[in-house]
Amino acid sequence: MIESGALARDILIRDGRVSALVEPGAASAGDEIDASGLLAMPGAVDAHVHFNDPGRADWEGWPSGSRAAAAGGTTTVIDMPLNSLPPVLDGGSFDAKRAAAERGSLVDFALWGGITGADDAALRELADRGAVGVKGFMCDSGVPEFSSIPDDQLEAALRAAASAGLLVALHAEDDTLLRDATRAAQVAGRRDAAAWADSRPPLVEVRAVARAYAAARDAGARLHVVHLSSREALGAIGAARRDGVDISVETCPHYLVFDRDDVSRLGAILKCAPPLRDRANRDALWNAVSDGRIDLVASDHSPCPSDLKRRGAGDIFAAWGGVAGVQSLLVTLFTEAVLRSGGSLDTRKIAGFVAWRVSTKPARRFGLWPRKGNLAVGADADVVLLDPDPEWTLDVEDSLTRGLSPYVGRAFRGRVVRTIVRGRTIFADGRVVAEGGGRFVARSA
Ligand SMILES: [Zn+2]
């Protein structure tokens, strides 16, 4: 028996799809899974991962990254165009990324293209191949081969993306402001972990979001703001919506459960851009996830070799910025929702809320719904079975990413006991039980 939403239902799967949802025991099947006491959710659709493969597979890679995803109940990842080599900026590099993923991924995958300017031909190639959209930077991307969109070309780039039918995901940090604040911190001799957040204050994000939405409004572009970090920027998002801009926004688990004190305690493992902020900011972001001002939560999984983190011990500016979180997306959100409800909410309702934010909303926004993010007849049978009760800690040997995870040693409530992609079990009882087989999913709307 499986709990689907608030109801007990048996889920029937045929040829990789959900073929029926029926009263418990009303049908039989050749192969039955007893899910008594478990919650069935549509597998997570992680809209923001960097698996860096081809090119930097030693940082992560499709086999390792997708195994970590499977262990966390993620059945589809949407991979970012940068940190892999070549970056995905046209049809040829898109094909290379797709081929690497088809060779190595255990979970299904969709792909972001990249945008660095108004290159109409390249954008059309990406759109024709089914990219979910294109990602661009308003500041330095962190890697030399992926340029930011110059300030004076932002509107033209957004216009070109709109005419190719592509949504634009923006890393919204104002380049001028953050360079000024970074210089000030470094001139003051700061190298400590807290200097990172001080070098990228909330205004850096607010100003970028405000400018991006004004440009998107004039260009008629659809916008997605990735990894929103500051409560101050929620105001600019609200203004964009009131202005009629088609805008969505994500935040990441690390902004919801860690703060700048954790960066001082744990160091560069939690260095990311934009940076972690204070406790009150965490609460404000959580409230925005709860009431829908933040549409969805994605991991922004961006690991690196451990020495690129360790070099931050003496100088936070020298470390790679990125947090490894693909394995813990769903359970982090579930745990936090249970804690914040103070035990007052039914775990089935919490699972429904989590599924909406990490599965259904991203699938809808990025054109993968109703095939993904949807536990309904006709959809792909991507199912995660969650035991809502256990309290447990992530051990280092169970962390499957190649990178260092700040979630190792952390306590969780609720455990993924089985992950199913198109009817095929890929993770069960604490172990990855399959290899490869992940398929490309093109944007369908
Ligand atoms: Zn990212």
Side-chain angles (χ1 to χ4, degrees), residues 309-352:
K309 282 295 190 188
R310 294 208 172 97
R311 68 169 63 153
D315 178 2
I316 192 70
F317 292 98
W320 171 256
V323 173
V326 72
Q327 189 170 335
S328 35
L329 169 67
L330 191 154
V331 287
T332 299
L333 218 62
F334 185 83
T335 301
E336 193 67 7
V338 169
L339 287 174
R340 288 190 181 260
S341 78
S344 65
L345 271 184
D346 187 329
T347 51
R348 286 183 297 187
K349 286 202 176 108
I350 291 177

Side-chain angles (χ1 to χ4, degrees), residues 48 50 135 300:
H48 192 153
H50 299 263
K135 160 87 172 287
D300 192 9

Side-chain angles (χ1 to χ4, degrees), residues 105-141:
S105 188
L106 177 60
V107 300
D108 284 355
F109 62 95
L111 299 176
W112 289 98
I115 182 166
T116 57
D119 185 341
D120 292 293
L123 291 167
R124 289 239 152 69
E125 289 173 13
L126 294 167
D128 288 347
R129 282 164 170 77
V132 299
V134 281
K135 160 87 172 287
F137 279 76
M138 298 174 76
C139 60
D140 185 80
S141 76

Side-chain angles (χ1 to χ4, degrees), residues 375-418:
L375 208 45
V377 173
D380 281 359
D382 298 341
V383 187
V384 52
L385 298 181
L386 183 83
D387 185 338
D389 295 323
E391 293 178 10
W392 60 287
T393 301
L394 180 64
D395 295 327
V396 69
E397 59 269 23
D398 293 326
S399 175
L400 302 181
T401 172
R402 294 177 71 107
L404 297 170
S405 165
Y407 295 93
V408 166
R410 195 173 172 83
F412 292 100
R413 159 80 187 262
R415 190 153 202 170
V416 171
V417 296
R418 185 181 286 258

Side-chain angles (χ1 to χ4, degrees), residues 65 128 134-135 161-162 167 170 251 255 259 265 293 309 343 410 427 431 437:
D128 288 347
V134 281
K135 160 87 172 287
L167 171 147
L170 276 182
T251 192
Y255 297 113
D259 55 50
R265 192 167 54 84
R293 280 173 293 149
K309 282 295 190 188
R410 195 173 172 83
F427 176 86
R431 286 192 314 119

Side-chain angles (χ1 to χ4, degrees), residues 190 192-200 263 271-276 316-317 321:
R190 302 278 307 276
D192 58 300
W196 179 248
D198 292 340
S199 73
R200 304 171 100 96
V263 186
K271 179 184 172 181
C272 54
L276 300 180
I316 192 70
F317 292 98

Side-chain angles (χ1 to χ4, degrees), residues 181-413:
T182 301
R183 201 174 303 116
Q186 290 181 324
V187 164
R190 302 278 307 276
R191 299 285 183 272
D192 58 300
W196 179 248
D198 292 340
S199 73
R200 304 171 100 96
L203 185 59
V204 167
E205 192 169 48
V206 174
R207 187 150 123 178
V209 170
R211 202 157 54 76
Y213 102 67
R217 181 191 54 208
D218 293 350
R222 288 185 299 142
L223 213 56
H224 177 68
V225 175
V226 292
H227 49 53
L228 193 88
S229 73
S230 68
R231 60 176 158 167
E232 290 85 348
L234 289 167
I237 299 281
R241 288 192 169 125
R242 285 191 296 280
D243 231 358
V245 178
D246 183 346
I247 189 170
S248 54
V249 57
E250 81 188 22
T251 192
C252 312
H254 38 278
Y255 297 113
L256 298 170
V257 301
F258 293 112
D259 55 50
R260 54 183 293 158
D261 292 343
D262 296 304
V263 186
S264 294
R265 192 167 54 84
L266 296 173
I269 196 169
L270 280 171
K271 179 184 172 181
C272 54
L276 300 180
R277 306 191 190 276
D278 61 17
R279 173 77 204 212
N281 188 76
R282 268 176 58 186
D283 296 342
L285 290 183
W286 180 265
N287 291 339
V289 171
S290 299
D291 66 23
R293 280 173 293 149
I294 291 177
D295 299 271
L296 59 105
V297 182
S299 71
D300 192 9
H301 178 74
S302 185
C304 65
S306 53
D307 60 303
L308 293 183
K309 282 295 190 188
R310 294 208 172 97
R311 68 169 63 153
D315 178 2
I316 192 70
F317 292 98
W320 171 256
V323 173
V326 72
Q327 189 170 335
S328 35
L329 169 67
L330 191 154
V331 287
T332 299
L333 218 62
F334 185 83
T335 301
E336 193 67 7
V338 169
L339 287 174
R340 288 190 181 260
S341 78
S344 65
L345 271 184
D346 187 329
T347 51
R348 286 183 297 187
K349 286 202 176 108
I350 291 177
F353 159 75
V354 171
W356 184 250
R357 291 282 172 246
V358 303
S359 178
T360 307
K361 280 290 272 192
R364 290 177 87 119
R365 179 60 172 165
F366 304 124
L368 309 180
W369 193 89
R371 191 173 153 196
K372 300 297 189 188
N374 186 24
L375 208 45
V377 173
D380 281 359
D382 298 341
V383 187
V384 52
L385 298 181
L386 183 83
D387 185 338
D389 295 323
E391 293 178 10
W392 60 287
T393 301
L394 180 64
D395 295 327
V396 69
E397 59 269 23
D398 293 326
S399 175
L400 302 181
T401 172
R402 294 177 71 107
L404 297 170
S405 165
Y407 295 93
V408 166
R410 195 173 172 83
F412 292 100
R413 159 80 187 262

